[in-house]
Amino acid sequence: MTLSSFNTALTGLNNNALTINVVGNNLANINTTAFKASKTSFTELLGGISGTSESGNPIQVGLGSASAGVNPMFTQGAIGATGKSTDAAINGNGFFVVSTGDGLAYSRAGNFSVNSSGQLINTEGFLVQGYPAVGGIVNTSGALGPIQVEGVKLPPKSTSEFSITANLDRDAAAGSKFTTAVQVYDSLGSPHTVTLTFTKNGASGWDWDATIPAVDTGGLSTDPPVSIKPASSTGLLTFDSNGNITAPTANETLAATGLANGAADLSVIFGIFDSQGNPSITSYAAASTVSSTIQDGYAASSLRDIAIDKDGVVNGMFDNGKNLPLAQLVTANFPNVQGLVKLKGSTMVPFGSSGDPSIGAPGTGGRGTISGGALEQSNVDIATEFTTLIVAQRGYQANSRIISTTDQLYQDALNLVR
């Protein structure tokens, strides 16, 4: 009978050596961001039927084993906070999307940095992709593009509306005055101080006026302030016996024309009522005071830092205190993630068996959410890897023994002719 055990044992040696190589690679990447451990699988090599037994059953001797694949295990790695604002981790399914210059590629590693152009890149230098925001609004139906996170300037916004939450003392003497100031911004981002002056004119009413400094419209600092109250306004606030406003019944629009700095004319709504129609000014028997001031304008500003939220929105934090979305990260899912092939470092590209990517916003379509300022750790388990290593080592030793035993049998056969 011909001995096939040489070749059979050789397949065992090769396959156990492959397992040891895979374990070595897993352990070498135990601290690699978002690394996914791989696992080997094998199948039996079958020989033909060499005969039948006395009971009629086929006699079939195997020819060893063959590799059935080296498959990455895409289980979730632990997520650890880093405090770095450009870091991001995917909690759940999906891959970050990057542009290699030749097309799109995919990665679980979110240890991003910024290139010389101020754009977000991954560790391989590929541009991180997302939905850019225009005017603080993200268009998730738009085209993907790089994410700009440095060198961003926030243009000024002219104030269109302001309001105060205030009380005017019901018991104040006639002729008493109460003033408060609100800072608004013109189209160039220059601030202007609007002074509201309230004068008690009787038992239930207050006259009001709104002024800005004369220098704002080209006057001298010694000139009296310029009224910006509309000529059509009565300039009167009246209240009922419960301290609720009865007139006017709508907000007033203030106008400042001919600004000295060349900015567009100011047209600002004085919000006596909020968006639900509730008055923001009352007249109770309590001290005149302002509890809050709101206005929607701001000066031009530079980007100070970013923050990434769970939906992948990259929010810009500006020096003037404003926070506006700059872009939204996108993630991709695949029908068969084990079909991806590594391109460079942690970056992968689709292979024939992976299927096409489904790209969209994090947290939608089965895609995981994002943890900003954090990274996903490797999912390599040391105990599992060492156990696999021991089993592979014993398998290698056992197949080595088969080869040495087969060699001894051949040697014994040769000795028969002596």
Side-chain angles (χ1 to χ4, degrees):
M1 179 180 177
T2 304
L3 291 175
S4 62
S5 49
F6 264 137
N7 291 331
T8 300
L10 182 60
T11 64
L13 288 176
N14 289 336
N15 290 330
N16 282 286
L18 175 62
T19 298
I20 293 171
N21 288 336
V22 170
V23 169
N25 185 63
N26 290 343
L27 292 174
N29 286 281
I30 194 168
N31 292 316
T32 299
T33 300
F35 176 79
K36 300 303 179 186
S38 293
K39 181 180 180 181
T40 54
S41 58
F42 305 100
T43 185
E44 183 184 2
L45 282 176
L46 297 178
I49 298 175
S50 58
T52 58
S53 66
E54 291 182 357
S55 59
N57 294 326
I59 297 174
Q60 193 172 18
V61 179
L63 299 178
S65 62
S67 172
V70 178
N71 301 311
M73 310 305 292
F74 283 93
T75 55
Q76 178 74 49
I79 294 178
T82 65
K84 184 181 176 184
S85 61
T86 55
D87 285 344
I90 299 175
N91 189 4
N93 297 326
F95 298 82
F96 294 111
V97 181
V98 298
S99 174
T100 65
D102 295 322
L104 297 180
Y106 308 90
S107 176
R108 288 282 299 189
N111 44 342
F112 303 139
S113 57
V114 181
N115 66 10
S116 59
S117 298
Q119 298 167 320
L120 211 59
I121 58 173
N122 72 351
T123 51
E124 286 74 54
F126 300 139
L127 292 171
V128 180
Q129 299 294 289
Y131 299 122
V134 178
I137 304 298
V138 176
N139 179 15
T140 56
S141 299
L144 297 181
I147 298 175
Q148 192 78 30
V149 294
E150 281 191 5
V152 178
K153 299 291 184 181
L154 182 66
K157 182 181 183 299
S158 179
T159 301
S160 61
E161 183 173 2
F162 76 84
S163 65
I164 60 171
T165 301
N167 181 69
L168 301 175
D169 190 357
R170 182 80 171 204
D171 294 337
S176 298
K177 293 182 180 296
F178 174 71
T179 61
T180 187
V182 179
Q183 184 170 268
V184 299
Y185 295 88
D186 62 27
S187 61
L188 297 176
S190 297
H192 300 272
T193 300
V194 175
T195 300
L196 297 171
T197 302
F198 301 92
T199 305
K200 186 72 181 294
N201 65 6
S204 60
W206 290 77
D207 293 318
W208 68 273
D209 194 13
T211 61
I212 59 173
V215 293
D216 289 6
T217 56
L220 300 176
S221 59
T222 54
D223 292 339
V226 177
S227 176
I228 59 174
K229 181 185 70 175
S232 59
S233 173
T234 62
L236 176 65
L237 300 176
T238 58
F239 301 86
D240 62 20
S241 57
N242 294 317
N244 298 316
I245 195 167
T246 58
T249 58
N251 294 329
E252 301 276 6
T253 300
L254 312 180
T257 60
L259 296 177
N261 64 354
D265 293 343
L266 271 175
S267 179
V268 184
I269 295 174
F270 172 23
I272 300 171
F273 301 89
D274 64 19
S275 58
Q276 283 75 44
N278 301 312
S280 59
I281 302 176
T282 58
S283 183
Y284 302 136
S288 296
T289 185
V290 173
S291 58
S292 68
T293 300
I294 301 174
Q295 66 86 34
D296 61 358
Y298 45 81
S301 182
S302 297
L303 186 66
R304 175 170 51 86
D305 203 355
I306 65 168
I308 302 173
D309 68 16
K310 68 180 182 63
D311 297 319
V313 176
V314 182
N315 292 292
M317 296 179 286
F318 294 86
D319 287 332
N320 61 4
K322 294 294 179 181
N323 294 337
L324 290 176
L326 303 177
Q328 184 177 17
L329 293 169
V330 295
T331 51
N333 269 347
F334 288 86
N336 175 27
V337 295
Q338 291 185 340
L340 296 172
V341 61
K342 294 181 180 179
L343 173 69
K344 182 181 179 182
S346 63
T347 304
M348 295 172 280
V349 292
F351 197 61
S353 61
S354 66
D356 295 328
S358 171
I359 299 175
T364 65
R367 290 173 283 267
T369 57
I370 303 297
S371 296
L375 291 175
E376 181 185 8
Q377 300 172 13
S378 164
N379 67 353
V380 175
D381 181 75
I382 294 179
T384 298
E385 298 303 322
F386 279 177
T387 300
T388 303
L389 181 63
I390 292 171
V391 172
Q393 181 186 12
R394 294 306 183 199
Y396 195 95
Q397 290 174 337
N399 281 278
S400 299
R401 184 61 58 88
I402 293 296
I403 290 177
S404 61
T405 299
T406 303
D407 177 62
Q408 184 62 50
L409 290 175
Y410 275 118
Q411 188 64 45
D412 290 345
L414 290 174
N415 291 336
L416 290 176
V417 299
R418 292 183 181 179

mmCIF file of all heavy atoms in Angstrom, residues 180-197:
data_model
loop_
_atom_site.group_PDB
_atom_site.id
_atom_site.type_symbol
_atom_site.label_atom_id
_atom_site.label_comp_id
_atom_site.label_asym_id
_atom_site.label_seq_id
_atom_site.Cartn_x
_atom_site.Cartn_y
_atom_site.Cartn_z
ATOM 1 N N THR A 180 -32.420 99.961 29.513
ATOM 2 C CA THR A 180 -31.626 98.745 29.327
ATOM 3 C C THR A 180 -31.013 98.789 27.936
ATOM 4 O O THR A 180 -31.547 99.463 27.042
ATOM 5 C CB THR A 180 -32.471 97.473 29.516
ATOM 6 O OG1 THR A 180 -31.618 96.330 29.495
ATOM 7 C CG2 THR A 180 -33.507 97.317 28.406
ATOM 8 N N ALA A 181 -29.880 98.110 27.768
ATOM 9 C CA ALA A 181 -29.171 98.155 26.489
ATOM 10 C C ALA A 181 -29.098 96.763 25.878
ATOM 11 O O ALA A 181 -28.928 95.758 26.587
ATOM 12 C CB ALA A 181 -27.771 98.722 26.680
ATOM 13 N N VAL A 182 -29.206 96.704 24.547
ATOM 14 C CA VAL A 182 -29.093 95.472 23.785
ATOM 15 C C VAL A 182 -28.078 95.697 22.670
ATOM 16 O O VAL A 182 -28.169 96.689 21.942
ATOM 17 C CB VAL A 182 -30.445 95.042 23.181
ATOM 18 C CG1 VAL A 182 -30.275 93.764 22.366
ATOM 19 C CG2 VAL A 182 -31.487 94.858 24.259
ATOM 20 N N GLN A 183 -27.107 94.800 22.541
ATOM 21 C CA GLN A 183 -26.122 94.918 21.464
ATOM 22 C C GLN A 183 -26.598 94.145 20.252
ATOM 23 O O GLN A 183 -26.911 92.965 20.349
ATOM 24 C CB GLN A 183 -24.766 94.391 21.924
ATOM 25 C CG GLN A 183 -23.657 94.582 20.887
ATOM 26 C CD GLN A 183 -22.274 94.287 21.435
ATOM 27 O OE1 GLN A 183 -21.580 95.169 21.912
ATOM 28 N NE2 GLN A 183 -21.882 93.037 21.353
ATOM 29 N N VAL A 184 -26.640 94.854 19.101
ATOM 30 C CA VAL A 184 -27.031 94.211 17.843
ATOM 31 C C VAL A 184 -25.881 94.368 16.855
ATOM 32 O O VAL A 184 -24.938 95.135 17.093
ATOM 33 C CB VAL A 184 -28.331 94.827 17.283
ATOM 34 C CG1 VAL A 184 -29.481 94.639 18.263
ATOM 35 C CG2 VAL A 184 -28.143 96.297 16.940
ATOM 36 N N TYR A 185 -25.956 93.641 15.729
ATOM 37 C CA TYR A 185 -24.879 93.645 14.745
ATOM 38 C C TYR A 185 -25.427 94.024 13.377
ATOM 39 O O TYR A 185 -26.543 93.648 13.001
ATOM 40 C CB TYR A 185 -24.221 92.267 14.673
ATOM 41 C CG TYR A 185 -23.510 91.885 15.947
ATOM 42 C CD1 TYR A 185 -24.198 91.246 16.981
ATOM 43 C CD2 TYR A 185 -22.163 92.177 16.129
ATOM 44 C CE1 TYR A 185 -23.548 90.907 18.147
ATOM 45 C CE2 TYR A 185 -21.507 91.841 17.299
ATOM 46 C CZ TYR A 185 -22.205 91.208 18.314
ATOM 47 O OH TYR A 185 -21.567 90.873 19.481
ATOM 48 N N ASP A 186 -24.592 94.780 12.622
ATOM 49 C CA ASP A 186 -24.983 95.143 11.264
ATOM 50 C C ASP A 186 -24.430 94.117 10.270
ATOM 51 O O ASP A 186 -23.851 93.090 10.660
ATOM 52 C CB ASP A 186 -24.540 96.565 10.918
ATOM 53 C CG ASP A 186 -23.023 96.751 10.954
ATOM 54 O OD1 ASP A 186 -22.284 95.775 10.731
ATOM 55 O OD2 ASP A 186 -22.556 97.887 11.191
ATOM 56 N N SER A 187 -24.595 94.370 8.970
ATOM 57 C CA SER A 187 -24.211 93.412 7.936
ATOM 58 C C SER A 187 -22.706 93.200 7.858
ATOM 59 O O SER A 187 -22.252 92.201 7.285
ATOM 60 C CB SER A 187 -24.740 93.880 6.580
ATOM 61 O OG SER A 187 -24.193 95.151 6.236
ATOM 62 N N LEU A 188 -21.908 94.096 8.425
ATOM 63 C CA LEU A 188 -20.457 93.954 8.446
ATOM 64 C C LEU A 188 -19.972 93.280 9.732
ATOM 65 O O LEU A 188 -18.771 93.037 9.882
ATOM 66 C CB LEU A 188 -19.780 95.314 8.288
ATOM 67 C CG LEU A 188 -20.035 96.051 6.966
ATOM 68 C CD1 LEU A 188 -19.375 97.431 6.989
ATOM 69 C CD2 LEU A 188 -19.512 95.229 5.788
ATOM 70 N N GLY A 189 -20.894 93.005 10.644
ATOM 71 C CA GLY A 189 -20.525 92.397 11.913
ATOM 72 C C GLY A 189 -20.128 93.402 12.973
ATOM 73 O O GLY A 189 -19.664 93.018 14.041
ATOM 74 N N SER A 190 -20.318 94.709 12.708
ATOM 75 C CA SER A 190 -20.000 95.737 13.703
ATOM 76 C C SER A 190 -21.128 95.822 14.726
ATOM 77 O O SER A 190 -22.314 95.787 14.354
ATOM 78 C CB SER A 190 -19.811 97.095 13.041
ATOM 79 O OG SER A 190 -18.701 97.065 12.156
ATOM 80 N N PRO A 191 -20.796 95.952 16.000
ATOM 81 C CA PRO A 191 -21.842 96.029 17.026
ATOM 82 C C PRO A 191 -22.410 97.438 17.147
ATOM 83 O O PRO A 191 -21.714 98.438 16.913
ATOM 84 C CB PRO A 191 -21.092 95.627 18.291
ATOM 85 C CG PRO A 191 -19.681 96.074 18.050
ATOM 86 C CD PRO A 191 -19.439 95.906 16.582
ATOM 87 N N HIS A 192 -23.666 97.508 17.501
ATOM 88 C CA HIS A 192 -24.342 98.772 17.798
ATOM 89 C C HIS A 192 -25.152 98.574 19.063
ATOM 90 O O HIS A 192 -25.823 97.544 19.225
ATOM 91 C CB HIS A 192 -25.270 99.196 16.654
ATOM 92 C CG HIS A 192 -24.563 99.386 15.347
ATOM 93 N ND1 HIS A 192 -23.988 100.573 14.957
ATOM 94 C CD2 HIS A 192 -24.329 98.503 14.341
ATOM 95 C CE1 HIS A 192 -23.446 100.427 13.760
ATOM 96 N NE2 HIS A 192 -23.633 99.177 13.373
ATOM 97 N N THR A 193 -25.102 99.537 19.953
ATOM 98 C CA THR A 193 -25.830 99.452 21.213
ATOM 99 C C THR A 193 -27.180 100.149 21.072
ATOM 100 O O THR A 193 -27.246 101.359 20.835
ATOM 101 C CB THR A 193 -25.041 100.089 22.363
ATOM 102 O OG1 THR A 193 -23.790 99.408 22.504
ATOM 103 C CG2 THR A 193 -25.812 99.999 23.658
ATOM 104 N N VAL A 194 -28.231 99.354 21.183
ATOM 105 C CA VAL A 194 -29.593 99.891 21.168
ATOM 106 C C VAL A 194 -30.014 100.098 22.623
ATOM 107 O O VAL A 194 -30.042 99.149 23.410
ATOM 108 C CB VAL A 194 -30.569 98.941 20.456
ATOM 109 C CG1 VAL A 194 -31.999 99.469 20.554
ATOM 110 C CG2 VAL A 194 -30.171 98.747 19.002
ATOM 111 N N THR A 195 -30.323 101.340 22.973
ATOM 112 C CA THR A 195 -30.762 101.667 24.330
ATOM 113 C C THR A 195 -32.274 101.805 24.339
ATOM 114 O O THR A 195 -32.843 102.621 23.597
ATOM 115 C CB THR A 195 -30.118 102.966 24.828
ATOM 116 O OG1 THR A 195 -28.689 102.811 24.819
ATOM 117 C CG2 THR A 195 -30.579 103.295 26.233
ATOM 118 N N LEU A 196 -32.916 100.976 25.141
ATOM 119 C CA LEU A 196 -34.364 101.050 25.312
ATOM 120 C C LEU A 196 -34.661 101.857 26.570
ATOM 121 O O LEU A 196 -34.159 101.543 27.657
ATOM 122 C CB LEU A 196 -34.974 99.654 25.435
ATOM 123 C CG LEU A 196 -34.820 98.735 24.218
ATOM 124 C CD1 LEU A 196 -35.275 97.316 24.568
ATOM 125 C CD2 LEU A 196 -35.622 99.256 23.049
ATOM 126 N N THR A 197 -35.458 102.899 26.427
ATOM 127 C CA THR A 197 -35.813 103.758 27.556
ATOM 128 C C THR A 197 -37.315 103.684 27.764
ATOM 129 O O THR A 197 -38.105 103.971 26.846
ATOM 130 C CB THR A 197 -35.404 105.217 27.298
ATOM 131 O OG1 THR A 197 -33.991 105.275 27.054
ATOM 132 C CG2 THR A 197 -35.748 106.095 28.502
#
